[in-house]
């Protein structure tokens, strides 16, 4: 419960917090993090939903009484780009994640960006997680997941 309150408090301090240098997100094996999506080059296979890129940066960190920085309890701001097939008019695309509070939850819904020349749609997710996070991408109406070939994606605060 303290983690949730702390995350809300720290999220509210975003406007006044000194921003740190961007920290690249890492998928446990293959997915590369990029600052902007690669719109021209196809990074999606025949999957219905596929994480195209994700970047994150620490926006607030927790220090103890000895001024020791606790990375797992930082607040990470992320931007993720997702490619999906147009399987339905209404789309609910979310990151399903678990962070420092140990509870699985869904992010806010993605926002449409554009339709690419290959017919895939590019969507963007933007939000905050408390510390290191494990996640997968879910396209609810198509009942489709991208979970990094069963390994899940990981966001690490270095």
């Amino acid at each position: 419960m303290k983690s949730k309150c702390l995350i809300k408090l720290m999220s509210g301090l975003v406007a006044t917090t000194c921003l740190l240098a961007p920290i690249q997100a890492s998928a446990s094996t293959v997915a590369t993090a990029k600052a902007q999506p690669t719109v021209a080059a196809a990074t999606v296979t025949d999957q219905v939903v596929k994480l195209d890129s994700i970047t994150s940066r620490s926006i607030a960190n927790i220090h103890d009484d000895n001024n020791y920085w606790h990375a797992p309890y930082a607040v990470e701001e992320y931007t993720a780009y997702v490619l999906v097939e147009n399987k339905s008019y209404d789309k609910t695309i979310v990151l399903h994640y678990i962070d420092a509070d140990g509870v699985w939850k869904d992010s806010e819904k993605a926002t449409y960006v554009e339709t690419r020349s290959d017919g895939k749609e590019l969507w963007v997710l933007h939000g905050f997680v408390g510390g290191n996070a494990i996640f997968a991408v879910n396209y609810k109406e198509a009942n489709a997941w991208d979970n990094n070939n069963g390994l899940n994606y990981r966001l690490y605060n270095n």
Side-chain angles (χ1 to χ4, degrees), residues 1 14 19-20 45 47 53 57 59 62 73 83 85 95 100 116 120 122 127 133 136 139 143 147 150 154 158:
M1 187 65 171
V14 171
L19 299 177
L20 300 176
T45 60
Q47 287 180 264
S53 65
R57 64 181 173 178
I59 59 169
I62 296 175
Y73 302 106
L83 289 168
E85 288 183 12
L95 291 186
R116 297 172 16 146
K120 304 273 186 201
L122 182 65
Y139 175 5
N143 194 25
N147 64 358
R154 299 175 189 283
N158 295 336

Side-chain angles (χ1 to χ4, degrees), residues 65-85:
D65 292 338
N66 296 321
N67 204 27
Y68 179 76
W69 173 50
H70 294 279
Y73 302 106
V75 174
E76 293 287 315
E77 178 182 30
Y78 67 86
T79 302
Y81 291 91
V82 179
L83 289 168
V84 301
E85 288 183 12

